[in-house]
Amino acid sequence: MQIQIEKILDNELKPLYSDPGKLGFGQVFTDYMFTMRFQPGKGWVESKIGPYTPFEINPAAVVLHYSQEIFEGLKAYVAPDGRILLFRPEQNAKRMYSSAKRMCMEPFPEEYFLESVKALVNLEKRWIPKAPGTSLYIRPTLVGLGAALGVHPASEYLFFIILSPVGAYYKEGFNPISLYVEDFYTRAVIGGVGEAKTGGNYAASLMAAAKAAEKGFTQVLWLDARENKYVEEVGSMNMFFVFGRKLVTPNLNGSILPGITRASVIQLAQSLGYQVEERPISIDEVVEGLQGGSLTEAFGSGTAAVISPVGSLYFRDKNYLVNNNQVGDVTRELYTKLVDIQYGKAADPFAWVQAIGAL
Ligand code: COI
């Protein structure tokens, strides 16, 4: 792939964020973005890195009417020796391929995915924050652009990547968050598109999230759509429940996202001697475990959320504390081990990180 680069003059570059400790999530964007188009008869063409700027979109574009859109999320980190690291980017490329297939979109070739991420991140390396807990969030996105109001897959596609220096996803940082267990609204159903990383899943979550936020909860914990009984995910992360030395996480049943952090936590936990069960877990089992004391900790996992301790669950008018609303030892151990690998501070026995350049 030959990437055309449209350079910005030095004196026109944006000023860097002033306090990396106050970045939050997804509010600051870098100078450049990557774009590439799929056109019928031509294939993937016009790979370009140019200024981060608004798009001009045909008002009849399929994405604007029928939400033919998918995205990914990954991060670039700076290691203590100055190397720029990505965490399992080939897994994001693969998942984006599967999401595209599910949404009837032209998949973006996996090798182009890695090449474009590497080229853009290297060009934008001054934006990678170095403060603890910060990183450069990478958001590859694919949208259906063909202009047509009939409900059909788009004929043209735009793939783009934008970058955002970020801190913690939740305002709590690495502190326990509160979850509202939603037992009316649902995020996704088996047979639907819950396992694809498509914007519609997130749009579907907004109303319940707003309701939960109004009541003071950090996020919604979704139950399955058929029986309103089994724990699914949080929307911004997969869930893990800790029973002493055993971890239970909902199995990939088609309606939850196959998280890359989720898969990594499973492998990491097993290597540390934990037993991991991927299986349906009902909200009743969770509540009983909390009441009886066998459920000792809970946490979520995700690229943006990393590993986030859960301090309480609110379900049907009752609030249940998890580990007395404190960060538990298992959660802390997994968080520290994972983050140390991601930031190149510890050995990487699983060959998860890829160095793509240096500062
Ligand atoms: C990620 O963790 O990268 C995600 O895509 C979750 C997001 C909705 C912030």
Side-chain angles (χ1 to χ4, degrees):
M1 177 174 48
Q2 200 60 32
I3 304 176
Q4 184 212 330
I5 298 183
E6 184 188 333
K7 280 288 233 174
I8 303 171
L9 295 175
D10 281 354
N11 61 3
E12 286 173 6
L13 291 172
K14 297 176 190 170
L16 278 187
Y17 41 87
S18 51
D19 183 355
K22 293 209 179 115
L23 277 170
F25 185 83
Q27 324 238 3
V28 176
F29 298 96
T30 68
D31 292 288
Y32 290 96
M33 64 184 182
F34 174 88
T35 54
M36 194 163 184
R37 288 166 190 277
F38 180 86
Q39 287 171 351
K42 291 191 183 164
W44 286 100
V45 290
E46 296 175 25
S47 59
K48 178 178 169 185
I49 290 177
Y52 178 104
T53 187
F55 294 123
E56 211 169 83
I57 287 189
N58 190 309
V62 174
V63 65
L64 299 181
H65 300 269
Y66 307 125
S67 304
Q68 223 191 0
E69 186 265 4
I70 57 170
F71 68 95
E72 273 302 320
L74 65 160
K75 286 172 170 173
Y77 313 85
V78 177
D81 61 5
R83 285 173 311 143
I84 300 168
L85 306 177
L86 298 180
F87 184 72
R88 310 189 76 181
E90 73 293 343
Q91 297 298 320
N92 295 93
K94 265 204 181 101
R95 187 171 62 188
M96 192 164 213
Y97 191 93
S98 316
S99 296
K101 285 291 185 191
R102 179 62 185 89
M103 300 302 290
C104 255
M105 303 173 83
E106 182 63 38
F108 191 63
E110 291 175 45
E111 64 278 16
Y112 286 180
F113 181 102
L114 291 175
E115 221 179 310
S116 50
V117 166
K118 287 178 189 174
L120 184 63
V121 170
N122 270 303
L123 183 69
E124 292 285 64
K125 60 189 178 185
R126 78 183 182 107
W127 283 95
I128 312 177
K130 282 137 217 108
T134 63
S135 55
L136 186 66
Y137 186 76
I138 305 164
R139 175 53 67 89
T141 308
L142 178 66
V143 296
L145 276 197
L149 292 185
V151 182
H152 301 292
S155 52
E156 292 173 35
Y157 292 87
L158 169 69
F159 172 83
F160 62 92
I161 307 173
I162 54 174
L163 304 175
S164 173
V166 296
Y169 185 68
Y170 301 119
K171 67 173 178 4
E172 288 88 343
F174 186 66
N175 285 305
I177 61 164
S178 57
L179 296 182
Y180 180 87
V181 183
E182 177 59 58
D183 69 344
F184 176 71
Y185 296 113
T186 50
R187 171 189 170 272
V189 63
I190 292 176
V193 294
E195 67 183 346
K197 206 158 172 60
T198 181
N201 287 328
Y202 297 81
S205 75
L206 295 177
M207 188 190 237
K211 194 177 91 181
E214 222 170 78
K215 294 182 175 147
F217 299 98
T218 321
Q219 289 275 300
V220 169
L221 177 61
W222 297 101
L223 299 180
D224 79 282
R226 285 188 178 161
E227 295 182 68
N228 248 321
K229 179 173 174 188
Y230 295 100
V231 172
E232 295 253 301
E233 56 155 271
V234 168
S236 49
M237 54 189 197
N238 294 110
M239 277 303 298
F240 284 84
F241 298 95
V242 183
F243 296 83
R245 296 288 298 171
K246 183 173 82 181
L247 269 55
V248 180
T249 189
N251 53 309
L252 300 179
N253 58 2
S255 67
I256 68 175
L257 189 82
I260 295 162
T261 314
R262 174 189 177 278
S264 310
V265 167
I266 292 173
Q267 218 178 323
L268 180 62
Q270 284 170 334
S271 78
L272 294 169
Y274 292 96
Q275 185 192 339
V276 183
E277 290 178 4
E278 294 180 69
R279 61 165 171 85
I281 176 163
S282 68
I283 189 65
D284 293 339
E285 181 181 345
V286 169
V287 166
E288 279 163 28
L290 288 172
Q291 285 176 325
S294 60
L295 200 169
T296 43
E297 297 176 35
F299 64 86
S301 69
T303 299
V306 195
I307 285 182
S308 283
V310 172
S312 63
L313 291 173
Y314 187 89
F315 178 54
R316 295 195 180 144
D317 301 328
K318 274 203 178 143
N319 200 39
Y320 300 92
L321 286 188
V322 186
N323 194 36
N324 213 18
N325 202 21
Q326 301 297 312
V327 181
D329 292 343
V330 177
T331 305
R332 191 179 296 282
E333 180 186 17
L334 291 167
Y335 172 82
T336 308
K337 290 248 157 46
L338 178 69
V339 164
D340 282 355
I341 294 175
Q342 290 176 329
Y343 284 80
K345 292 184 179 160
D348 174 21
F350 313 103
W352 281 340
V353 293
Q354 275 191 35
I356 57 160
L359 287 188

